[in-house]
């Protein structure tokens, strides 16, 4: 099978039917030298890229379906954290061999999410090499409505969606050769796109939790020039985490990555609105702390005692320099 046949297959098998009224804006898509896209009038383009390498960003036994799903999910999560509407994607695929069955399953996983969020694949690159998937997601937002990392202020509430630590726990069990429950938390993270859109005009800062709660909170605090207190017993936990000892559970929750939940700061005046937002988006929203003037993160247990975390998050080149 030749490269162009694979590309045609990808184009065919990832194409979605749009929600009524959604304008895809694709003037030229796959098949020319570059795509030509019409950003909706008066909006700004929002762009994010993430690469998934086999063995590093997903376990080598991950199904092609889940790889297709996850490469889009992690990028939509970045758009969600900006409060952007997803529109288009570009896919750079490096495959050890041209395998139509692999591509078929990959495309199915991709299409599941692409359909849910009206994402059109408009181009990419296909090469032969070690399995690696790089995706660029493009979306749009009204000027000035994007939610940056820079806007947190002392007194803002610190809020997180869904549950935290489940993906890291699943990965740990997998690597230890133990039976994995809640593996979907690792393989099928749900990008919180609709939540991100709801947060526009309310949240003062937002980030998606990919590297671990402390690490990602640290990015927001650094960008905003402030600190935070974190109530570690308020961190929302999955069923599987509830069965663990505190130390182990907190390690997954504070330092584990891959949850792709939204972590945002909310001016206290909008506190009442949280319940409405939670209902409308059918997602749990937990207040887990507060932004403070003094830099750094201070963790506390429910009884008010301070807690010192052991590990602060995943950094790609930490062990390799
Ligand atoms: P060029 O050599 O001009 O870059 P390619 O042969 O690489 O063109 O690609 C042909 C067309 O197919 C282009 O429109 C490109 O964007 C698209 N394409 C290639 N690989 C992929 C892919 N994995 N997913 C989506 N589109 C792709
Ligand atoms: Mg090319």
């Amino acid at each position: 099978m030749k490269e162009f046949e694979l590309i045609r297959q990808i184009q065919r098998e990832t194409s979605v039917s749009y929600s009524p009224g959604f304008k895809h804006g694709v003037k030229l898509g796959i098949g020319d030298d570059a795509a030509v896209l019409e950003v909706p009038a008066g909006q700004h383009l929002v762009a994010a890229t993430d690469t998934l390498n086999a063995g590093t960003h997903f376990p080598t036994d991950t199904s092609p379906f889940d790889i297709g799903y996850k490469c889009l999910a992690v990028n939509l999560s970045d758009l969600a954290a900006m409060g952007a509407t997803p529109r288009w994607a570009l896919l750079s695929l490096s495959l050890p061999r041209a395998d139509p069955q692999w591509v078929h399953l990959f495309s199915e996983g991709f299409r599941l999410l692409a359909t849910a969020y009206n994402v059109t694949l408009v181009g990419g690159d296909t090469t032969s090499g070690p399995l690696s998937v790089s995706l660029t997601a493009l979306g749009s937002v009204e000027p000035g409505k994007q939610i940056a990392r820079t806007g947190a202020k002392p007194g803002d509430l610190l809020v997180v969606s869904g549950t935290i630590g489940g993906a890291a726990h699943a990965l740990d069990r997998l690597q230890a050769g133990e039976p994995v429950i809640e593996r979907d938390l690792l393989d099928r993270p749900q990008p919180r796109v609709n939540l991100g859109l709801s947060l526009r005009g309310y949240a003062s800062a937002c980030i998606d939790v990919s590297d671990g709660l402390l690490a990602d909170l640290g990015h927001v605090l650094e960008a905003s020039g402030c600190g935070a207190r974190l109530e570690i017993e308020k961190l929302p936990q999955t069923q599987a985490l509830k069965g663990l000892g505190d130390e182990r559970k907190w390690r997954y929750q504070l330092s584990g990555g891959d949850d792709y939940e939204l972590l945002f700061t909310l001016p206290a005046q909008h506190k009442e609105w949280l319940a409405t937002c939670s209902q409308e988006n059918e997602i749990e929203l937990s207040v887990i702390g507060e932004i403070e003037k003094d830099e750094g993160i201070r963790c506390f247990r429910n009884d008010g005692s301070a807690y010192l975390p052991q590990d602060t998050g995943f950094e790609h080149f930490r062990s390799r320099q």
Side-chain angles (χ1 to χ4, degrees):
M1 172 172 270
K2 303 232 179 63
E3 177 193 325
F4 73 87
E5 286 174 51
L6 275 189
I7 297 171
R8 274 221 303 271
Q9 186 192 346
I10 293 171
Q11 179 176 25
R12 206 173 48 243
E13 294 185 339
T14 59
S15 77
V16 302
S17 39
Y18 305 97
S19 308
F22 187 86
K23 289 208 174 60
H24 57 69
V26 181
K27 301 292 146 186
L28 273 179
I30 295 173
D32 218 305
D33 292 310
V36 178
L37 309 168
E38 184 178 12
V39 180
Q43 299 209 11
H44 284 174
L45 186 66
V46 182
T49 285
D50 256 321
T51 298
L52 303 184
N53 292 325
T56 308
H57 304 98
F58 56 85
T60 46
D61 73 339
T62 307
S63 71
F65 184 100
D66 288 336
I67 298 169
Y69 177 99
K70 194 169 179 179
C71 75
L72 185 53
V74 301
N75 280 284
L76 293 186
S77 178
D78 281 325
L79 293 187
M82 300 304 293
T85 303
R87 298 191 178 276
W88 309 290
L90 295 143
L91 170 68
S92 195
L93 206 52
S94 163
L95 296 174
R97 59 199 175 89
D99 177 350
Q101 181 57 16
W102 192 96
V103 165
H104 173 69
L105 295 171
F106 175 92
S107 300
E108 290 286 296
F110 183 94
R111 194 160 58 96
L112 183 71
L113 264 189
T115 304
Y117 297 110
N118 298 307
V119 175
T120 313
L121 185 63
V122 295
D125 198 22
T126 307
T127 54
S128 121
L131 180 58
S132 171
V133 181
S134 187
L135 192 106
T136 299
L138 301 171
S140 67
V141 72
E142 288 96 65
K145 287 284 168 63
Q146 68 275 5
I147 314 167
R149 296 179 179 182
T150 47
K153 295 268 178 340
D156 289 356
L157 305 175
L158 188 60
V159 187
V160 73
S161 66
T163 58
I164 281 293
H169 178 232
L171 179 62
D172 209 21
R173 289 185 65 102
L174 189 73
Q175 286 174 340
E178 294 165 20
V180 185
I181 31 177
E182 301 186 335
R183 172 134 189 200
D184 271 8
L185 293 174
L186 183 64
D187 290 337
R188 305 258 182 100
Q190 297 199 27
R192 304 304 186 187
V193 174
N194 295 327
L195 174 61
L197 293 172
S198 299
L199 294 180
R200 290 174 304 178
Y202 291 92
S204 48
C206 188
I207 192 169
D208 66 323
V209 182
S210 53
D211 292 343
L213 190 72
L214 290 180
D216 290 318
L217 173 57
H219 297 319
V220 169
L221 297 177
E222 199 178 324
S224 298
C226 41
R229 64 176 286 129
L230 190 61
E231 313 283 348
I232 54 172
E233 294 190 53
K234 299 212 170 109
L235 297 177
Q237 42 189 331
T238 66
Q239 279 306 324
L241 287 177
K242 285 177 186 163
L244 303 179
D246 281 347
E247 282 295 330
R248 187 156 171 224
K249 179 176 72 188
W250 291 335
R251 187 155 41 82
Y252 294 131
Q253 294 196 295
L254 294 171
S255 310
D258 276 340
D259 288 307
Y260 298 100
E261 293 295 348
L262 294 186
L263 175 68
F264 59 96
T265 58
L266 189 73
Q269 75 209 64
H270 298 312
K271 188 173 182 184
E272 304 300 314
W273 169 82
L274 262 188
T276 316
C277 178
S278 164
Q279 252 170 20
E280 279 175 358
N281 290 289
E282 296 177 357
I283 186 158
E284 194 183 340
L285 296 176
S286 308
V287 177
I288 58 170
E290 194 180 314
I291 300 300
E292 295 177 331
K293 192 159 66 57
D294 289 345
E295 287 180 12
I297 303 172
R298 292 156 287 279
C299 297
F300 296 93
R301 298 188 186 85
N302 273 352
D303 65 6
S305 62
Y307 175 75
L308 204 61
Q310 301 153 340
D311 194 357
T312 54
F314 183 77
E315 283 172 46
H316 281 267
F317 298 101
R318 194 164 48 185
S319 55
R320 282 176 257 158
Q321 294 301 321

